[in-house]
Amino acid sequence: MAKAKKSYHCNACGAVSPRWSGQCDSCHEWNCITEEVIEAAVPKGMNGTKKGRKLSFAALGDKSQTEYKRYKSGIEEFDRVLGGGLVPGSATLIGGDPGIGKSTILLQSVCALAQSGVRCLYVSGEEAVDQVRMRARRLELLDAPLELVSATNVRDILSSVEGGGEKPVEVMVIDSIQTMFIDNIDSAPGTVTQVRTCAQEITRHAKARNMAVIFVGHVTKDGQIAGPRVLEHLVDSVLHFEGDRSHHFRILRGVKNRFGPTDEIGVFEMAGHGLVQVENPSALFLSQRAENVAGSAVLAALEGTRPMLVEVQALVAPSAMASPRRSVIGWDPNRLAMIVAVLETRCGVQLSGCDIFLNIAGGIKINEPAADLAVAAALMSALSGTPLPMESIFFGEIGLSGEIRQVAQADLRIKEASKLGFKEAVIPKAKKPIGRAAEKSVAKGFVLHPLEHVQNLSDLYMTKQVNSSYHDAGQVRAV
Ligand code: TYD
Ligand code: MG
């Protein structure tokens, strides 16, 4: 009999080591290593000698299969992130901080699906049926034909969805995958082996029966979905539900999708009766903008296929410290360091003795380099004390030599700005800044300011001197 092969996995970071220890060598977490059997004991001579079954190959261009059928919940923000609805037989993982609203959004979505005639099951491993019911009452969803069960044993759950003659379960929610367990594995729920095997078992079952499953996954301190990374490889789509606790809006972000585009976002607002869709996020993010304040610039950002206007706020103050503070909320601190360096070396703006605080208002996170120009404008405005015009928007990437580079989807960004009543856009220079179709839909009198170099920015707006050396060089011109 060949011996069973074992390895030791860290529950926190997923690192594998050949022997057990009290502390993980890679993430230094204590008591997180569990044993895993990777190859069961097999009688000698059996391993590898068994012949496989013959598979039949299929042609790529099968005409009979058209588009994926999709279950649409009718909650547009949710459907869009999934690429137009849930695909039957797909597995989706939704991760997020505790209390951010994962259970709420899933309950709302599957209730909406159930109301449209899809048979849905909500499996809660964390809450009792009554607790889920209480939430449904609060959300005014008690009349939805949703089926509930409070269970954690995967074998029980899978046997129960088997169903004889009745309509099969079409959509199942597992809240959460970390509470599930399979009884023939000798480790506690939530460990790497359990989480992975449960997810594998449920996904396999779901695919065979064309049932869509949605797993809820917990998130560790540093924002990773807890348990092994393999969980993300195992499923078809991964969504992150994020938001700042101190703000009431939440963002559902698609980070992986085998059936549609990634980077799509859905914006929701947490209200007293559940999550409400935000159809016009730009208006929400700009709603509290103060008038005529120096250091504020509006950025036309792009999230997936969706343009969104957000306010970039900068504060520049003389520093009393040897190494001035650079504090950034909602953007990449390294990018800020780069913009500061470009402004200093290419435009002669002096920021080295100043504390800089940069904030993307509303608690949203921006990852695009297209924000560079808005950040540079906000910094220059903050330093000179000159407010930027209220009705301007900015976007463009700044290169290391100070050149302003083009970014994707300029048309969409400009159209959104025009729709919200903005009058001018400061954009990268291009042969044709916007397409003919976009030109038509932009309001009359909308002005474009294509810029080639970041220096042109101060020529355009800064009436006061940005700094003496720059001014002396004769590069600042009043508008
Ligand atoms: P929940 O969905 O339980 O979060 P998760 O499953 O991600 O842990 O959401 C809980 C939070 O949402 C809780 O702090 C209360 C808040 N909430 C509302 O503000 N309004 C509501 O209608 C509901 C149901 C929850
Ligand atoms: Mg929950």
Side-chain angles (χ1 to χ4, degrees), residues 99 102-104 122 126-127 135 175 216 218:
K102 301 181 293 295
S103 307
T104 309
Y122 190 100
E126 295 184 345
E127 293 163 300
R135 178 180 293 133
D175 187 359
V216 172
H218 289 174

Side-chain angles (χ1 to χ4, degrees), residues 97-104 135 138-139 175 270-274:
D97 289 333
I100 206 78
K102 301 181 293 295
S103 307
T104 309
R135 178 180 293 133
R138 188 171 168 186
L139 303 172
D175 187 359
M270 184 59 100
H273 53 282

Side-chain angles (χ1 to χ4, degrees), residues 5 17 21 50 59 76 113 158 332 341 387 415 447 449:
K5 270 193 196 161
S17 59
S21 67
K50 210 170 140 197
E76 280 212 8
L113 272 173
L158 293 184
D332 180 5
K415 270 194 327 207
V447 185
H449 295 291

Side-chain angles (χ1 to χ4, degrees), residues 458-473:
S458 53
D459 298 349
L460 188 63
Y461 286 127
M462 301 297 125
T463 47
K464 286 189 194 169
Q465 61 186 61
V466 170
N467 112 339
S468 55
S469 62
Y470 185 30
H471 193 239
D472 293 344

Side-chain angles (χ1 to χ4, degrees), residues 260-291:
T262 48
D263 288 334
E264 276 301 349
I265 65 161
V267 185
F268 296 89
E269 202 172 347
M270 184 59 100
H273 53 282
L275 289 153
V276 185
Q277 304 186 66
V278 177
E279 268 144 36
N280 192 346
S282 306
L284 174 77
F285 294 132
L286 295 180
S287 59
Q288 287 171 17
R289 199 170 151 227
E291 281 191 23

Side-chain angles (χ1 to χ4, degrees), residues 37-58:
V37 178
I38 44 175
E39 230 172 72
V42 200
K44 255 197 179 141
M46 280 292 286
N47 214 3
T49 54
K50 210 170 140 197
K51 245 190 167 175
R53 190 161 52 86
K54 200 159 192 182
L55 304 172
S56 59
F57 304 141

Side-chain angles (χ1 to χ4, degrees), residues 90-353:
S90 68
T92 306
L93 175 67
I94 165 165
D97 289 333
I100 206 78
K102 301 181 293 295
S103 307
T104 309
I105 190 165
L106 287 180
L107 191 62
Q108 284 183 271
S109 319
V110 287
C111 279
L113 272 173
Q115 267 159 344
S116 68
V118 180
R119 187 175 170 205
C120 300
L121 172 68
Y122 190 100
V123 184
S124 179
E126 295 184 345
E127 293 163 300
V129 167
D130 278 341
Q131 281 175 295
V132 181
R133 234 179 244 142
M134 241 160 63
R135 178 180 293 133
R137 182 171 303 133
R138 188 171 168 186
L139 303 172
E140 294 169 11
L141 289 170
L142 277 183
D143 53 347
L146 174 73
E147 287 162 75
L148 292 181
V149 64
S150 174
T152 51
N153 188 330
V154 171
R155 212 189 290 270
D156 294 350
I157 297 168
L158 293 184
S159 310
S160 317
V161 294
E162 205 89 311
E166 44 187 323
K167 190 178 175 187
V169 174
E170 289 162 297
V171 176
M172 175 164 76
V173 173
I174 303 282
D175 187 359
S176 65
I177 188 67
Q178 274 89 3
T179 55
M180 298 292 140
F181 75 97
I182 289 181
D183 47 16
N184 58 354
I185 293 178
D186 204 15
S187 39
T191 53
V192 177
T193 324
Q194 281 287 8
V195 169
R196 192 174 56 190
T197 322
C198 290
Q200 248 163 356
E201 199 56 31
I202 297 171
T203 313
R204 199 171 51 80
H205 189 95
K207 290 220 188 291
R209 280 160 192 76
N210 221 19
M211 169 173 75
V213 262
I214 308 177
F215 298 110
V216 172
H218 289 174
V219 160
T220 56
K221 271 177 276 167
D222 49 355
Q224 304 282 349
I225 292 178
R229 251 358 253 274
V230 273
L231 203 53
E232 294 185 27
H233 296 296
L234 211 100
V235 294
D236 301 307
S237 331
V238 180
L239 314 180
H240 279 200
F241 201 39
E242 44 190 55
D244 198 338
R245 285 289 185 79
S246 45
H247 292 92
H248 47 181
F249 73 86
R250 306 277 183 267
I251 290 180
L252 186 65
R253 189 185 294 276
V255 288
K256 166 182 171 180
N257 194 350
R258 285 190 185 142
F259 308 110
T262 48
D263 288 334
E264 276 301 349
I265 65 161
V267 185
F268 296 89
E269 202 172 347
M270 184 59 100
H273 53 282
L275 289 153
V276 185
Q277 304 186 66
V278 177
E279 268 144 36
N280 192 346
S282 306
L284 174 77
F285 294 132
L286 295 180
S287 59
Q288 287 171 17
R289 199 170 151 227
E291 281 191 23
N292 289 326
V293 180
S296 154
V298 176
L299 159 72
L302 198 74
E303 287 285 355
T305 55
R306 195 174 202 200
M308 212 159 57
L309 303 191
V310 290
E311 185 188 353
V312 178
Q313 299 177 329
L315 182 68
V316 177
S319 180
M321 286 182 279
S323 54
R325 287 193 65 172
R326 301 279 190 257
S327 174
V328 188
I329 301 171
W331 204 48
D332 180 5
N334 292 328
R335 253 201 112 93
L336 173 69
M338 193 197 87
I339 303 287
V340 169
V342 169
L343 288 178
E344 288 199 325
T345 47
R346 307 289 175 203
C347 307
V349 175
Q350 233 148 50
L351 290 160
S352 53

